[in-house]
Amino acid sequence: MARGRGIVVMTPPQQPAVVEPAQLTAALRRGGVLDAGAVREVKVLHQRDTVVSHIIRLGLRYVGESAGAPQSLILKTANSTFAQTLANGGRHEVAFYTRLAPKMPPGLVPRCFDGHFDEDSLTWHLLLEDLTDSHEIATAWPLPPSRDQAVAIVTTLARWHAAWWDHPGLGDTAGTWASTEDSAQHMETFAGHYDRFADLLGDRLSEERRILYRRLIDQSDRLSQRYHSRRHLSITHGDAHIWNFMLPRAGVADTVRIFDFDLWSINVPTNDLAYMMAMQWYPERRQALERSLLNLYHDTLIESGITGYTRGALDRDYRWSVLWHITRPVWQWSINIPPLIWWNNLERVMIAVEDLGCEELLG
């Protein structure tokens, strides 16, 4: 065991070979941040577990010329407790950093110096830029962001979406398309989860909400046509709450970075906005920021060169995404995420559905 910042964490049984000085030297040279010098010493500065991963902050010492080389790095590996059950998340995130991130504009995500997923052992690692000293999370969960923080986060999200907007690599070198059969199967699975969810809640799930769920399930083929149009789609984060963004600390001139990409996919970009605002923010805060942030998002898309996507289309997509997000608390319940999370998400997104008149989309 090791202790870091008052938190007891388990030391993983074996570090990946990439932490050896020679391999770190090679990785940093490939990344263009180390020239003639070499890594001499590697020290664990801090480590902690998340649900899906083990995060280690490594301190580096060099021999020879090392001007501009990082003094520390983040090593992200599988959480040994859940390594096999959550292996697909690691596989997915490694794919993002090694295949997609190199094709993106700089300054949107942390730099990745090395990443690998081993299909035999289901072990994986990512060697990432350490932003601990320069960046911070906007707030302590579950506090919403300030207006300025929200502006910075949504601007970066729009630039990231714009980088993959209707990209020719979608479904080829970047992600895969779900077929109409895939969508139907997904909803069939959801319907089974929903029936058990509704039975569990009993009279805590009103008849009005039950009718909404049944209508969504019945209309899902038609509603899914928006995705299957394969138009005005992008790479979406899938878990774009504000605590997956790192903002520059006061006095630091840098960009907001997005992290944690184990749920990325090709999808309608407003899904990330709806997840961030409609499902995570209580009504007063959402109502205060929602409209101006949607305006900002659209303006940033236009500034980034996206054409043919009107402000009205954004509104329609946002309402479509908010409606679909009533399914998210059920999925969360189905994988044993605690009620502290899914119950609050359910209440918030249902209020957003009502506020925005999303039921109109059901015909």
Side-chain angles (χ1 to χ4, degrees):
M1 278 191 188
R3 292 181 181 271
R5 297 183 186 175
I7 302 172
V8 178
V9 294
M10 295 301 296
T11 303
Q14 184 178 2
Q15 304 287 12
V18 72
V19 302
E20 295 297 323
Q23 293 209 34
L24 277 176
T25 298
L28 295 174
R29 284 187 178 152
R30 287 194 301 271
V33 293
L34 183 62
D35 190 6
V39 176
R40 181 185 69 187
E41 182 183 342
V42 184
K43 178 182 178 182
V44 173
L45 301 177
H46 175 253
Q47 52 187 318
R48 64 184 176 87
D49 279 326
T50 72
V51 173
V52 299
S53 60
H54 188 74
I55 309 294
I56 305 172
R57 190 183 188 203
L58 301 173
L60 308 182
R61 289 187 178 181
Y62 299 90
V63 60
E65 177 57 44
S66 60
Q71 299 304 300
S72 58
L73 292 169
I74 296 296
L75 176 67
K76 186 172 184 178
T77 62
N79 180 327
S80 57
T81 306
F82 304 104
Q84 297 203 0
T85 56
L86 297 174
N88 195 53
R91 180 188 290 107
H92 215 48
E93 187 164 34
V94 168
F96 175 84
Y97 275 110
T98 56
R99 299 177 195 169
L100 275 68
K103 301 175 183 177
M104 290 167 48
L108 294 173
V109 304
R111 289 192 64 182
C112 179
F113 297 103
D114 193 76
H116 179 70
F117 186 93
D118 187 277
E119 292 292 347
D120 293 329
S121 64
L122 301 183
T123 58
W124 56 273
H125 73 263
L126 289 162
L127 193 64
L128 301 170
E129 175 184 17
D130 181 17
L131 298 168
T132 306
D133 294 333
S134 59
H135 289 67
E136 62 187 349
I137 304 301
T139 71
W141 181 84
L143 293 178
S146 69
R147 184 178 295 272
D148 286 347
Q149 289 170 332
V151 163
I153 287 169
V154 169
T155 299
T156 295
L157 187 64
R159 288 172 179 160
W160 184 59
H161 286 161
W164 290 103
W165 199 275
D166 288 345
H167 192 282
L170 293 182
D172 181 15
T173 57
T176 56
W177 294 111
S179 66
T180 54
E181 292 78 14
D182 293 332
S183 296
Q185 179 59 54
H186 186 71
M187 282 308 295
E188 185 177 334
T189 302
F190 171 79
H193 289 319
Y194 166 72
D195 287 342
R196 293 185 291 276
F197 178 80
D199 287 345
L200 170 76
L201 285 184
D203 62 11
R204 290 165 292 188
L205 187 66
S206 68
E207 186 60 27
E208 182 181 30
R209 290 180 176 181
R210 290 169 184 266
I211 291 170
L212 179 63
Y213 273 114
R214 296 312 314 183
R215 291 178 69 196
L216 178 65
I217 292 168
D218 291 344
Q219 294 288 321
S220 60
D221 285 350
R222 180 179 62 81
L223 290 171
S224 294
Q225 291 172 11
R226 169 65 187 92
Y227 166 85
H228 292 295
S229 72
R230 298 190 180 184
R231 183 81 176 103
H232 294 309
L233 300 186
S234 184
I235 298 296
T236 58
H237 186 280
D239 193 22
H241 53 66
I242 67 157
W243 306 280
N244 273 337
F245 294 77
M246 298 189 76
L247 284 71
R249 294 182 184 274
V252 174
D254 205 340
T255 56
V256 175
R257 311 294 174 85
I258 316 171
F259 64 97
D260 276 3
F261 292 98
D262 51 302
L263 293 177
W264 69 271
S265 67
I266 304 171
N267 218 317
V268 179
T270 49
N271 280 2
D272 283 341
L273 291 164
Y275 182 78
M276 180 186 296
M277 297 190 288
M279 206 171 77
Q280 303 284 340
W281 298 351
Y282 284 97
E284 183 181 54
R285 194 62 183 158
R286 175 179 54 79
Q287 292 162 4
L289 297 180
E290 190 173 50
R291 181 59 36 194
S292 63
L293 291 175
L294 289 173
N295 288 339
L296 170 70
Y297 179 86
H298 189 259
D299 289 345
T300 306
L301 290 181
I302 301 305
E303 291 167 6
S304 301
I306 303 306
T307 59
Y309 188 64
T310 65
R311 183 64 181 80
L314 173 62
D315 264 343
R316 288 191 296 275
D317 280 349
Y318 182 70
R319 293 169 69 228
W320 178 90
S321 293
V322 171
L323 178 63
W324 271 115
H325 270 70
I326 69 171
T327 65
R328 196 67 175 261
V330 179
W331 287 114
Q332 292 173 331
W333 168 81
S334 75
I335 59 172
N336 298 317
I337 287 177
L340 174 65
I341 293 176
W342 63 254
W343 175 258
N344 286 293
N345 287 344
L346 176 66
E347 289 297 317
R348 288 184 294 247
V349 76
M350 284 293 185
I351 293 170
V353 166
E354 183 176 350
D355 281 352
L356 299 168
C358 299
E359 283 191 63
E360 295 173 4
L361 300 174
L362 296 171

